[in-house]
Amino acid sequence: MLTEAATSEKEPRGPWGSVQFASSAQGARHARHHAVQRMAEWGFPAESDVSCAVALVVAELAANAVRHGRVPGHTFGLRLDFDTAADLVRVEVADAAAKRPPAAAPSSFPDGESGRGLLLVDALALRWGWMPRQPVGKTVWAEVSVTACRH
């Protein structure tokens, strides 16, 4: 479910991590590996449902940042925030392109070669959305429920 653009950034209430990656397929792979490693540090093994869900969300958002948000000479950023009080992992992927993501997860056609990424994010996340990034670009975010993945 896409939520309207936020006007202020959320402060982390639990352990978090943020890192920059090359705007390339290899950078997107590194982002996914980083997410799995961070989840393990937070006590969620790589084979756990929550780690797999977060890794897939990161993979899709990073791939979109590389494919649709690439600006020559710029990297993309990944921020992970584990909100222990809400039992949520917030994934934020920031790129330098100002182009907005679609207003909703697009419907996918069975024969299409792409276009399923946001459908997966929509299915795995409690909510997702985007916000403008200063001085340029945007941040696409998604919140994955740790509790829902445990059941």
Side-chain angles (χ1 to χ4, degrees):
M1 168 174 142
L2 177 68
T3 307
E4 286 300 311
T7 56
S8 65
E9 294 200 26
K10 175 182 160 187
E11 290 298 317
R13 290 183 281 176
W16 62 275
S18 182
V19 68
Q20 296 293 119
F21 295 96
S23 191
S24 66
Q26 185 177 14
R29 271 193 311 277
H30 288 308
R32 181 175 45 85
H33 291 298
H34 175 79
V36 171
Q37 179 181 357
R38 180 66 60 177
M39 294 301 292
E41 290 169 5
W42 290 337
F44 304 101
E47 65 278 358
S48 68
D49 287 345
V50 68
S51 181
C52 290
V54 168
L56 187 53
V57 167
V58 167
E60 295 302 335
L61 294 183
N64 284 348
V66 168
R67 185 170 191 182
H68 304 292
R70 177 191 262 174
V71 174
H74 290 270
T75 59
F76 74 89
L78 169 66
R79 178 183 171 109
L80 298 173
D81 176 8
F82 179 24
D83 185 339
T84 55
D87 222 14
L88 290 173
V89 175
R90 183 175 171 103
V91 175
E92 296 181 359
V93 175
D95 63 50
K99 183 180 175 190
R100 296 176 50 155
S107 61
S108 181
F109 298 99
D111 295 333
E113 291 183 18
S114 64
R116 293 175 187 82
L118 289 178
L119 286 172
L120 292 170
V121 171
D122 197 51
L124 292 169
L126 286 177
R127 61 191 152 266
W128 64 277
W130 74 280
M131 58 191 160
R133 193 181 89 176
Q134 299 300 325
V136 297
K138 67 183 167 305
T139 299
V140 180
W141 57 267
E143 294 177 340
V144 177
S145 168
V146 172
T147 307
C149 289
R150 287 183 179 150
H151 294 104

